[in-house]
Amino acid sequence: MNKCNYNRSPKPWGLFPVLFIVAALLLLGVVLGTVAHAPLTFSVAAGAVIAVWLGIFALRERHGRRRHTQAH
């Protein structure tokens, strides 16, 4: 007898990753549409603020991990 899983019912959480990707693409489309209608200076300023924020976060994460590491 063939032991393929063709007749098995799908798992209920199997659809979640697809819905997550669709929601993420929809949100990305909304954000890009907003940036397309915003003035260029505002878009560049907002991008710079986000870049600085991510840079500070990365430095804090890197510095914090070194300080809190314990030898076993």
Side-chain angles (χ1 to χ4, degrees):
M1 183 89 169
N2 188 1
K3 295 185 178 185
C4 87
N5 291 328
Y6 181 74
N7 291 327
R8 285 182 66 185
S9 61
K11 297 177 183 172
W13 61 83
L15 192 59
F16 179 72
V18 175
L19 292 177
F20 178 77
I21 291 171
V22 169
L25 288 174
L26 181 66
L27 183 63
L28 180 66
V30 168
V31 169
L32 287 178
T34 304
V35 169
H37 294 289
L40 181 62
T41 53
F42 174 78
S43 299
V44 170
V49 167
I50 292 170
V52 168
W53 176 39
L54 289 174
I56 291 170
F57 176 77
L59 287 173
R60 288 182 63 195
E61 284 293 312
R62 175 178 271 194
H63 181 65
R65 288 180 191 231
R66 287 185 189 163
R67 186 175 28 171
H68 295 297
T69 338
Q70 297 176 357
H72 290 231

Short mmCIF file of all heavy atoms in Angstrom, two decimals:
data_model
loop_
_atom_site.label_atom_id
_atom_site.label_comp_id
_atom_site.label_asym_id
_atom_site.label_seq_id
_atom_site.Cartn_x
_atom_site.Cartn_y
_atom_site.Cartn_z
N MET A 1 0.84 -1.17 0.00
CA MET A 1 0.00 0.00 0.00
C MET A 1 0.89 1.24 0.00
O MET A 1 1.89 1.30 0.68
CB MET A 1 -0.88 -0.04 1.25
CG MET A 1 -1.84 1.07 1.33
SD MET A 1 -3.23 0.48 0.53
CE MET A 1 -4.59 1.23 0.58
N ASN A 2 0.48 2.22 -0.73
CA ASN A 2 1.21 3.49 -0.80
C ASN A 2 0.97 4.27 0.49
O ASN A 2 -0.15 4.44 0.93
CB ASN A 2 0.73 4.28 -2.01
CG ASN A 2 1.58 5.50 -2.24
OD1 ASN A 2 2.52 5.74 -1.51
ND2 ASN A 2 1.24 6.25 -3.25
N LYS A 3 2.04 4.77 1.09
CA LYS A 3 1.91 5.48 2.36
C LYS A 3 2.04 6.99 2.18
O LYS A 3 2.65 7.66 2.98
CB LYS A 3 2.96 4.99 3.35
CG LYS A 3 2.78 3.54 3.73
CD LYS A 3 3.77 3.15 4.78
CE LYS A 3 3.53 1.72 5.18
NZ LYS A 3 4.38 1.29 6.26
N CYS A 4 1.48 7.53 1.11
CA CYS A 4 1.58 8.98 0.91
C CYS A 4 0.55 9.68 1.80
O CYS A 4 -0.44 9.10 2.22
CB CYS A 4 1.40 9.34 -0.56
SG CYS A 4 -0.29 9.58 -1.06
N ASN A 5 0.78 10.91 2.06
CA ASN A 5 -0.07 11.70 2.96
C ASN A 5 -1.07 12.55 2.18
O ASN A 5 -1.48 13.61 2.63
CB ASN A 5 0.79 12.60 3.85
CG ASN A 5 1.59 11.81 4.85
OD1 ASN A 5 1.14 10.76 5.30
ND2 ASN A 5 2.77 12.29 5.16
N TYR A 6 -1.48 12.10 1.01
CA TYR A 6 -2.37 12.89 0.17
C TYR A 6 -3.72 13.14 0.82
O TYR A 6 -4.30 14.21 0.70
CB TYR A 6 -2.54 12.20 -1.19
CG TYR A 6 -3.41 12.95 -2.13
CD1 TYR A 6 -2.95 14.10 -2.75
CD2 TYR A 6 -4.71 12.53 -2.40
CE1 TYR A 6 -3.74 14.82 -3.62
CE2 TYR A 6 -5.51 13.24 -3.26
CZ TYR A 6 -5.03 14.38 -3.87
OH TYR A 6 -5.82 15.08 -4.72
N ASN A 7 -4.25 12.18 1.51
CA ASN A 7 -5.59 12.30 2.08
C ASN A 7 -5.61 12.90 3.48
O ASN A 7 -6.67 13.02 4.07
CB ASN A 7 -6.29 10.93 2.10
CG ASN A 7 -6.61 10.46 0.72
OD1 ASN A 7 -6.91 11.27 -0.16
ND2 ASN A 7 -6.55 9.17 0.49
N ARG A 8 -4.47 13.27 4.01
CA ARG A 8 -4.45 13.87 5.35
C ARG A 8 -4.99 15.28 5.30
O ARG A 8 -4.76 16.02 4.35
CB ARG A 8 -3.03 13.91 5.90
CG ARG A 8 -2.55 12.55 6.36
CD ARG A 8 -1.18 12.63 6.93
NE ARG A 8 -1.19 13.42 8.16
CZ ARG A 8 -0.11 13.73 8.83
NH1 ARG A 8 1.07 13.35 8.40
NH2 ARG A 8 -0.17 14.43 9.92
N SER A 9 -5.70 15.68 6.33
CA SER A 9 -6.19 17.05 6.38
C SER A 9 -5.05 17.99 6.76
O SER A 9 -4.15 17.62 7.53
CB SER A 9 -7.33 17.17 7.40
OG SER A 9 -6.86 16.82 8.68
N PRO A 10 -5.05 19.22 6.26
CA PRO A 10 -3.95 20.15 6.58
C PRO A 10 -4.01 20.58 8.04
O PRO A 10 -5.07 20.60 8.67
CB PRO A 10 -4.21 21.34 5.66
CG PRO A 10 -5.64 21.25 5.32
CD PRO A 10 -6.02 19.79 5.37
N LYS A 11 -2.87 20.92 8.57
CA LYS A 11 -2.80 21.40 9.95
C LYS A 11 -3.39 22.80 10.02
O LYS A 11 -3.22 23.59 9.10
CB LYS A 11 -1.34 21.41 10.42
CG LYS A 11 -0.75 20.03 10.45
CD LYS A 11 0.70 20.08 10.84
CE LYS A 11 1.28 18.67 10.78
NZ LYS A 11 2.69 18.64 10.97
N PRO A 12 -4.05 23.14 11.10
CA PRO A 12 -4.69 24.47 11.17
C PRO A 12 -3.69 25.62 11.15
O PRO A 12 -4.02 26.70 10.69
CB PRO A 12 -5.46 24.43 12.48
CG PRO A 12 -4.91 23.30 13.26
CD PRO A 12 -4.31 22.34 12.27
N TRP A 13 -2.48 25.43 11.63
CA TRP A 13 -1.50 26.52 11.65
C TRP A 13 -0.70 26.57 10.36
O TRP A 13 0.16 27.41 10.19
CB TRP A 13 -0.57 26.38 12.85
CG TRP A 13 0.22 25.12 12.85
CD1 TRP A 13 1.38 24.90 12.19
CD2 TRP A 13 -0.09 23.90 13.50
NE1 TRP A 13 1.80 23.62 12.40
CE2 TRP A 13 0.93 22.99 13.21
CE3 TRP A 13 -1.13 23.49 14.32
CZ2 TRP A 13 0.92 21.69 13.69
CZ3 TRP A 13 -1.13 22.20 14.80
CH2 TRP A 13 -0.12 21.32 14.49
N GLY A 14 -0.99 25.71 9.40
CA GLY A 14 -0.25 25.69 8.14
C GLY A 14 -0.51 26.92 7.29
O GLY A 14 0.28 27.27 6.44
N LEU A 15 -1.64 27.59 7.50
CA LEU A 15 -1.98 28.76 6.71
C LEU A 15 -1.39 30.04 7.30
O LEU A 15 -1.27 31.04 6.61
CB LEU A 15 -3.51 28.87 6.65
CG LEU A 15 -4.10 29.85 5.65
CD1 LEU A 15 -3.65 29.50 4.24
CD2 LEU A 15 -5.61 29.81 5.74
N PHE A 16 -0.95 30.01 8.54
CA PHE A 16 -0.46 31.21 9.22
C PHE A 16 0.74 31.85 8.52
O PHE A 16 0.74 33.07 8.32
CB PHE A 16 -0.12 30.90 10.68
CG PHE A 16 0.42 32.10 11.41
CD1 PHE A 16 -0.41 33.15 11.75
CD2 PHE A 16 1.75 32.18 11.73
CE1 PHE A 16 0.08 34.26 12.42
CE2 PHE A 16 2.26 33.28 12.39
CZ PHE A 16 1.42 34.33 12.73
N PRO A 17 1.77 31.10 8.11
CA PRO A 17 2.91 31.77 7.45
C PRO A 17 2.50 32.48 6.16
O PRO A 17 3.00 33.57 5.87
CB PRO A 17 3.88 30.63 7.15
CG PRO A 17 3.53 29.56 8.12
CD PRO A 17 2.05 29.69 8.34
N VAL A 18 1.58 31.91 5.42
CA VAL A 18 1.14 32.55 4.18
C VAL A 18 0.40 33.85 4.50
O VAL A 18 0.63 34.88 3.86
CB VAL A 18 0.24 31.59 3.37
CG1 VAL A 18 -0.33 32.28 2.15
CG2 VAL A 18 1.01 30.35 3.00
N LEU A 19 -0.47 33.82 5.50
CA LEU A 19 -1.19 35.04 5.88
C LEU A 19 -0.24 36.10 6.41
O LEU A 19 -0.42 37.30 6.18
CB LEU A 19 -2.26 34.71 6.92
CG LEU A 19 -3.43 33.88 6.41
CD1 LEU A 19 -4.38 33.55 7.56
CD2 LEU A 19 -4.16 34.59 5.30
N PHE A 20 0.80 35.68 7.12
CA PHE A 20 1.79 36.63 7.63
C PHE A 20 2.51 37.31 6.47
O PHE A 20 2.72 38.53 6.49
CB PHE A 20 2.79 35.90 8.54
CG PHE A 20 3.86 36.78 9.05
CD1 PHE A 20 3.61 37.67 10.09
CD2 PHE A 20 5.13 36.76 8.50
CE1 PHE A 20 4.60 38.50 10.57
CE2 PHE A 20 6.13 37.58 8.97
CZ PHE A 20 5.87 38.45 10.01
N ILE A 21 2.90 36.54 5.46
CA ILE A 21 3.60 37.11 4.30
C ILE A 21 2.68 38.08 3.56
O ILE A 21 3.10 39.16 3.15
CB ILE A 21 4.10 35.99 3.38
CG1 ILE A 21 5.23 35.24 4.07
CG2 ILE A 21 4.58 36.55 2.04
CD1 ILE A 21 5.65 33.98 3.35
N VAL A 22 1.42 37.71 3.38
CA VAL A 22 0.47 38.59 2.69
C VAL A 22 0.29 39.89 3.48
O VAL A 22 0.29 40.98 2.90
CB VAL A 22 -0.88 37.87 2.49
CG1 VAL A 22 -1.96 38.84 2.02
CG2 VAL A 22 -0.72 36.73 1.50
N ALA A 23 0.15 39.80 4.80
CA ALA A 23 -0.01 41.00 5.62
C ALA A 23 1.25 41.87 5.56
O ALA A 23 1.15 43.10 5.48
CB ALA A 23 -0.32 40.61 7.06
N ALA A 24 2.42 41.24 5.58
CA ALA A 24 3.67 42.01 5.52
C ALA A 24 3.80 42.73 4.17
O ALA A 24 4.21 43.89 4.12
CB ALA A 24 4.86 41.09 5.75
N LEU A 25 3.45 42.06 3.09
CA LEU A 25 3.52 42.70 1.77
C LEU A 25 2.49 43.83 1.65
O LEU A 25 2.78 44.87 1.05
CB LEU A 25 3.30 41.66 0.67
CG LEU A 25 4.46 40.68 0.46
CD1 LEU A 25 4.07 39.61 -0.55
CD2 LEU A 25 5.70 41.43 0.00
N LEU A 26 1.33 43.64 2.23
CA LEU A 26 0.32 44.69 2.22
C LEU A 26 0.81 45.91 2.99
O LEU A 26 0.69 47.06 2.53
CB LEU A 26 -0.99 44.17 2.81
CG LEU A 26 -2.15 45.16 2.86
CD1 LEU A 26 -2.59 45.51 1.45
CD2 LEU A 26 -3.30 44.56 3.63
N LEU A 27 1.39 45.69 4.16
CA LEU A 27 1.93 46.79 4.96
C LEU A 27 3.07 47.49 4.23
O LEU A 27 3.16 48.72 4.23
CB LEU A 27 2.39 46.27 6.32
CG LEU A 27 2.92 47.31 7.29
CD1 LEU A 27 1.82 48.29 7.66
CD2 LEU A 27 3.45 46.64 8.54
N LEU A 28 3.94 46.71 3.58
CA LEU A 28 5.04 47.30 2.82
C LEU A 28 4.50 48.16 1.68
O LEU A 28 5.01 49.25 1.43
CB LEU A 28 5.95 46.19 2.27
CG LEU A 28 7.14 46.64 1.45
CD1 LEU A 28 8.12 47.42 2.31
CD2 LEU A 28 7.82 45.46 0.81
N GLY A 29 3.46 47.70 1.02
CA GLY A 29 2.85 48.48 -0.06
C GLY A 29 2.27 49.79 0.45
O GLY A 29 2.40 50.82 -0.19
N VAL A 30 1.63 49.75 1.61
CA VAL A 30 1.06 50.98 2.19
C VAL A 30 2.17 51.95 2.55
O VAL A 30 2.09 53.15 2.26
CB VAL A 30 0.20 50.64 3.42
CG1 VAL A 30 -0.17 51.89 4.20
CG2 VAL A 30 -1.05 49.89 2.99
N VAL A 31 3.23 51.44 3.16
CA VAL A 31 4.35 52.32 3.55
C VAL A 31 5.03 52.91 2.33
O VAL A 31 5.32 54.11 2.28
CB VAL A 31 5.35 51.54 4.44
CG1 VAL A 31 6.62 52.33 4.64
CG2 VAL A 31 4.71 51.22 5.77
N LEU A 32 5.28 52.09 1.32
CA LEU A 32 5.93 52.61 0.11
C LEU A 32 5.03 53.61 -0.62
O LEU A 32 5.51 54.58 -1.18
CB LEU A 32 6.32 51.47 -0.82
CG LEU A 32 7.50 50.63 -0.34
CD1 LEU A 32 7.77 49.49 -1.29
CD2 LEU A 32 8.74 51.48 -0.18
N GLY A 33 3.73 53.36 -0.59
CA GLY A 33 2.81 54.31 -1.20
C GLY A 33 2.81 55.64 -0.48
O GLY A 33 2.76 56.70 -1.10
N THR A 34 2.91 55.60 0.84
CA THR A 34 2.96 56.83 1.62
C THR A 34 4.24 57.59 1.33
O THR A 34 4.23 58.81 1.17
CB THR A 34 2.87 56.49 3.13
OG1 THR A 34 1.68 55.75 3.35
CG2 THR A 34 2.86 57.74 3.96
N VAL A 35 5.35 56.87 1.25
CA VAL A 35 6.64 57.53 0.97
C VAL A 35 6.63 58.13 -0.43
O VAL A 35 7.21 59.19 -0.66
CB VAL A 35 7.80 56.52 1.15
CG1 VAL A 35 9.09 57.06 0.61
CG2 VAL A 35 7.94 56.16 2.61
N ALA A 36 5.96 57.49 -1.36
CA ALA A 36 5.92 58.01 -2.73
C ALA A 36 5.18 59.35 -2.80
O ALA A 36 5.48 60.18 -3.64
CB ALA A 36 5.26 56.99 -3.65
N HIS A 37 4.22 59.56 -1.91
CA HIS A 37 3.46 60.80 -1.92
C HIS A 37 4.02 61.86 -0.98
O HIS A 37 3.60 63.02 -1.05
CB HIS A 37 1.99 60.53 -1.56
CG HIS A 37 1.29 59.71 -2.59
ND1 HIS A 37 0.96 60.21 -3.82
CD2 HIS A 37 0.88 58.42 -2.59
CE1 HIS A 37 0.35 59.28 -4.52
NE2 HIS A 37 0.30 58.17 -3.79
N ALA A 38 4.93 61.49 -0.12
CA ALA A 38 5.54 62.45 0.80
C ALA A 38 6.65 63.21 0.07
O ALA A 38 7.25 62.70 -0.88
CB ALA A 38 6.11 61.73 2.01
N PRO A 39 6.94 64.42 0.54
CA PRO A 39 8.05 65.17 -0.07
C PRO A 39 9.39 64.43 0.14
O PRO A 39 9.57 63.71 1.13
CB PRO A 39 8.06 66.50 0.69
CG PRO A 39 6.72 66.59 1.32
CD PRO A 39 6.25 65.20 1.54
N LEU A 40 10.30 64.63 -0.79
CA LEU A 40 11.59 63.93 -0.74
C LEU A 40 12.37 64.28 0.52
O LEU A 40 12.97 63.41 1.15
CB LEU A 40 12.42 64.26 -1.98
CG LEU A 40 13.78 63.58 -2.08
CD1 LEU A 40 13.61 62.07 -2.13
CD2 LEU A 40 14.54 64.09 -3.28
N THR A 41 12.34 65.54 0.94
CA THR A 41 13.09 65.94 2.13
C THR A 41 12.56 65.24 3.38
O THR A 41 13.33 64.81 4.23
CB THR A 41 13.03 67.47 2.34
OG1 THR A 41 11.66 67.89 2.33
CG2 THR A 41 13.77 68.19 1.23
N PHE A 42 11.23 65.09 3.47
CA PHE A 42 10.65 64.37 4.61
C PHE A 42 11.06 62.91 4.60
O PHE A 42 11.41 62.35 5.64
CB PHE A 42 9.12 64.49 4.58
CG PHE A 42 8.46 63.67 5.64
CD1 PHE A 42 8.43 64.11 6.95
CD2 PHE A 42 7.88 62.45 5.33
CE1 PHE A 42 7.83 63.34 7.95
CE2 PHE A 42 7.27 61.68 6.30
CZ PHE A 42 7.25 62.11 7.62
N SER A 43 11.03 62.28 3.43
CA SER A 43 11.40 60.87 3.32
C SER A 43 12.87 60.65 3.72
O SER A 43 13.19 59.70 4.43
CB SER A 43 11.17 60.36 1.90
OG SER A 43 9.82 60.47 1.55
N VAL A 44 13.74 61.53 3.26
CA VAL A 44 15.16 61.41 3.59
C VAL A 44 15.37 61.65 5.08
O VAL A 44 16.14 60.92 5.73
CB VAL A 44 16.00 62.39 2.73
CG1 VAL A 44 17.44 62.45 3.22
CG2 VAL A 44 15.96 61.97 1.27
N ALA A 45 14.70 62.64 5.65
CA ALA A 45 14.84 62.92 7.08
C ALA A 45 14.33 61.75 7.92
O ALA A 45 14.96 61.34 8.89
CB ALA A 45 14.10 64.20 7.45
N ALA A 46 13.18 61.19 7.55
CA ALA A 46 12.64 60.05 8.28
C ALA A 46 13.57 58.84 8.16
O ALA A 46 13.80 58.12 9.14
CB ALA A 46 11.25 59.70 7.76
N GLY A 47 14.13 58.63 6.98
CA GLY A 47 15.09 57.53 6.80
C GLY A 47 16.33 57.72 7.64
O GLY A 47 16.87 56.76 8.20
N ALA A 48 16.80 58.96 7.74
CA ALA A 48 17.99 59.23 8.56
C ALA A 48 17.70 58.99 10.04
O ALA A 48 18.53 58.42 10.76
CB ALA A 48 18.45 60.67 8.34
N VAL A 49 16.53 59.40 10.49
CA VAL A 49 16.15 59.18 11.90
C VAL A 49 16.09 57.68 12.19
O VAL A 49 16.60 57.21 13.21
CB VAL A 49 14.81 59.87 12.22
CG1 VAL A 49 14.25 59.40 13.54
CG2 VAL A 49 14.98 61.38 12.21
N ILE A 50 15.49 56.92 11.30
CA ILE A 50 15.40 55.47 11.50
C ILE A 50 16.78 54.84 11.48
O ILE A 50 17.08 53.95 12.29
CB ILE A 50 14.47 54.86 10.44
CG1 ILE A 50 13.04 55.32 10.67
CG2 ILE A 50 14.56 53.34 10.43
CD1 ILE A 50 12.07 54.97 9.55
N ALA A 51 17.65 55.28 10.58
CA ALA A 51 19.01 54.73 10.51
C ALA A 51 19.79 55.01 11.79
O ALA A 51 20.50 54.13 12.31
CB ALA A 51 19.74 55.31 9.30
N VAL A 52 19.67 56.23 12.33
CA VAL A 52 20.35 56.56 13.58
C VAL A 52 19.79 55.73 14.73
O VAL A 52 20.54 55.19 15.56
CB VAL A 52 20.22 58.08 13.88
CG1 VAL A 52 20.66 58.41 15.29
CG2 VAL A 52 21.03 58.87 12.87
N TRP A 53 18.49 55.58 14.76
CA TRP A 53 17.84 54.78 15.81
C TRP A 53 18.32 53.33 15.76
O TRP A 53 18.68 52.75 16.80
CB TRP A 53 16.33 54.87 15.63
CG TRP A 53 15.51 54.05 16.56
CD1 TRP A 53 15.75 53.83 17.88
CD2 TRP A 53 14.34 53.32 16.25
NE1 TRP A 53 14.76 53.01 18.41
CE2 TRP A 53 13.89 52.70 17.42
CE3 TRP A 53 13.59 53.17 15.08
CZ2 TRP A 53 12.75 51.91 17.44
CZ3 TRP A 53 12.45 52.39 15.13
CH2 TRP A 53 12.05 51.78 16.30
N LEU A 54 18.38 52.75 14.57
CA LEU A 54 18.86 51.37 14.45
C LEU A 54 20.34 51.26 14.79
O LEU A 54 20.78 50.27 15.38
CB LEU A 54 18.60 50.85 13.03
CG LEU A 54 17.13 50.59 12.70
CD1 LEU A 54 17.00 50.20 11.23
CD2 LEU A 54 16.56 49.51 13.58
N GLY A 55 21.13 52.28 14.44
CA GLY A 55 22.55 52.27 14.79
C GLY A 55 22.77 52.31 16.30
O GLY A 55 23.60 51.57 16.84
N ILE A 56 22.02 53.16 16.98
CA ILE A 56 22.13 53.24 18.45
C ILE A 56 21.70 51.92 19.07
O ILE A 56 22.34 51.41 20.00
CB ILE A 56 21.30 54.42 18.98
CG1 ILE A 56 21.94 55.74 18.56
CG2 ILE A 56 21.15 54.35 20.49
CD1 ILE A 56 21.08 56.96 18.84
N PHE A 57 20.62 51.34 18.56
CA PHE A 57 20.15 50.05 19.08
C PHE A 57 21.21 48.97 18.89
O PHE A 57 21.47 48.19 19.81
CB PHE A 57 18.85 49.66 18.36
CG PHE A 57 18.34 48.31 18.76
CD1 PHE A 57 17.70 48.14 19.97
CD2 PHE A 57 18.51 47.22 17.93
CE1 PHE A 57 17.23 46.89 20.35
CE2 PHE A 57 18.04 45.98 18.28
CZ PHE A 57 17.40 45.81 19.50
N ALA A 58 21.84 48.94 17.73
CA ALA A 58 22.87 47.93 17.46
C ALA A 58 24.07 48.11 18.39
O ALA A 58 24.62 47.12 18.91
CB ALA A 58 23.32 48.00 16.00
N LEU A 59 24.48 49.35 18.61
CA LEU A 59 25.61 49.60 19.52
C LEU A 59 25.27 49.20 20.94
O LEU A 59 26.10 48.61 21.65
CB LEU A 59 26.02 51.08 19.46
CG LEU A 59 26.73 51.51 18.19
CD1 LEU A 59 26.93 53.03 18.19
CD2 LEU A 59 28.06 50.80 18.06
N ARG A 60 24.06 49.51 21.38
CA ARG A 60 23.66 49.13 22.75
C ARG A 60 23.60 47.62 22.91
O ARG A 60 23.99 47.08 23.94
CB ARG A 60 22.30 49.75 23.08
CG ARG A 60 22.39 51.25 23.29
CD ARG A 60 21.05 51.83 23.66
NE ARG A 60 20.61 51.26 24.94
CZ ARG A 60 19.39 51.33 25.41
NH1 ARG A 60 18.46 51.92 24.70
NH2 ARG A 60 19.07 50.81 26.56
N GLU A 61 23.09 46.93 21.88
CA GLU A 61 23.02 45.47 21.95
C GLU A 61 24.42 44.85 21.99
O GLU A 61 24.69 43.95 22.76
CB GLU A 61 22.24 44.92 20.75
CG GLU A 61 20.76 45.09 20.87
CD GLU A 61 20.18 44.24 21.98
OE1 GLU A 61 20.50 43.04 22.05
OE2 GLU A 61 19.39 44.78 22.78
N ARG A 62 25.30 45.36 21.16
CA ARG A 62 26.67 44.82 21.12
C ARG A 62 27.40 45.10 22.42
O ARG A 62 28.06 44.24 22.98
CB ARG A 62 27.43 45.42 19.95
CG ARG A 62 28.87 44.99 19.92
CD ARG A 62 29.56 45.56 18.73
NE ARG A 62 29.39 44.61 17.64
CZ ARG A 62 30.07 44.65 16.53
NH1 ARG A 62 30.92 45.62 16.32
NH2 ARG A 62 29.90 43.75 15.61
N HIS A 63 27.26 46.32 22.92
CA HIS A 63 27.94 46.70 24.16
C HIS A 63 27.35 45.96 25.35
O HIS A 63 28.06 45.52 26.25
CB HIS A 63 27.85 48.21 24.37
CG HIS A 63 28.55 48.69 25.60
ND1 HIS A 63 29.91 48.59 25.74
CD2 HIS A 63 28.08 49.26 26.73
CE1 HIS A 63 30.24 49.08 26.94
NE2 HIS A 63 29.14 49.49 27.55
N GLY A 64 26.04 45.81 25.38
CA GLY A 64 25.36 45.15 26.51
C GLY A 64 25.71 43.67 26.61
O GLY A 64 25.82 43.12 27.69
N ARG A 65 25.88 42.99 25.49
CA ARG A 65 26.21 41.57 25.52
C ARG A 65 27.61 41.33 26.06
O ARG A 65 27.85 40.36 26.74
CB ARG A 65 26.08 40.97 24.13
CG ARG A 65 24.65 40.85 23.69
CD ARG A 65 24.59 40.25 22.32
NE ARG A 65 23.22 40.38 21.82
CZ ARG A 65 22.53 39.39 21.32
NH1 ARG A 65 23.07 38.21 21.22
NH2 ARG A 65 21.31 39.58 20.89
N ARG A 66 28.52 42.20 25.75
CA ARG A 66 29.89 42.03 26.26
C ARG A 66 29.94 42.24 27.76
O ARG A 66 30.65 41.57 28.48
CB ARG A 66 30.84 43.01 25.59
CG ARG A 66 31.14 42.67 24.18
CD ARG A 66 32.17 43.61 23.62
NE ARG A 66 32.32 43.42 22.19
CZ ARG A 66 32.88 44.28 21.41
NH1 ARG A 66 33.35 45.43 21.88
NH2 ARG A 66 32.99 44.04 20.12
N ARG A 67 29.18 43.20 28.23
CA ARG A 67 29.23 43.56 29.66
C ARG A 67 28.56 42.50 30.54
O ARG A 67 28.98 42.24 31.63
CB ARG A 67 28.54 44.90 29.86
CG ARG A 67 28.67 45.44 31.25
CD ARG A 67 28.10 46.80 31.40
NE ARG A 67 27.02 47.02 30.44
CZ ARG A 67 26.23 48.06 30.46
NH1 ARG A 67 26.36 48.98 31.36
NH2 ARG A 67 25.28 48.21 29.56
N HIS A 68 27.49 41.89 30.04
CA HIS A 68 26.72 40.97 30.87
C HIS A 68 27.10 39.51 30.68
O HIS A 68 26.46 38.64 31.22
CB HIS A 68 25.23 41.13 30.57
CG HIS A 68 24.71 42.47 30.96
ND1 HIS A 68 24.68 42.92 32.26
CD2 HIS A 68 24.21 43.49 30.21
CE1 HIS A 68 24.18 44.14 32.30
NE2 HIS A 68 23.90 44.51 31.07
N THR A 69 28.16 39.21 29.94
CA THR A 69 28.55 37.82 29.74
C THR A 69 29.27 37.31 30.98
O THR A 69 30.11 38.00 31.55
CB THR A 69 29.51 37.70 28.56
OG1 THR A 69 29.39 38.79 27.69
CG2 THR A 69 29.25 36.45 27.78
N GLN A 70 28.94 36.12 31.38
CA GLN A 70 29.58 35.53 32.55
C GLN A 70 30.32 34.26 32.15
O GLN A 70 29.84 33.49 31.35
CB GLN A 70 28.52 35.16 33.61
CG GLN A 70 27.79 36.37 34.14
CD GLN A 70 26.69 35.94 35.11
OE1 GLN A 70 26.48 34.75 35.32
NE2 GLN A 70 26.02 36.91 35.70
N ALA A 71 31.48 34.06 32.74
CA ALA A 71 32.23 32.82 32.51
C ALA A 71 31.66 31.70 33.35
O ALA A 71 31.29 31.88 34.50
CB ALA A 71 33.71 33.04 32.85
N HIS A 72 31.57 30.51 32.79
CA HIS A 72 31.01 29.37 33.53
C HIS A 72 32.10 28.46 33.97
O HIS A 72 32.91 27.97 33.40
CB HIS A 72 30.02 28.62 32.66
CG HIS A 72 28.79 29.42 32.43
ND1 HIS A 72 27.54 28.94 32.63
CD2 HIS A 72 28.60 30.70 32.02
CE1 HIS A 72 26.66 29.85 32.34
NE2 HIS A 72 27.27 30.93 31.96
#
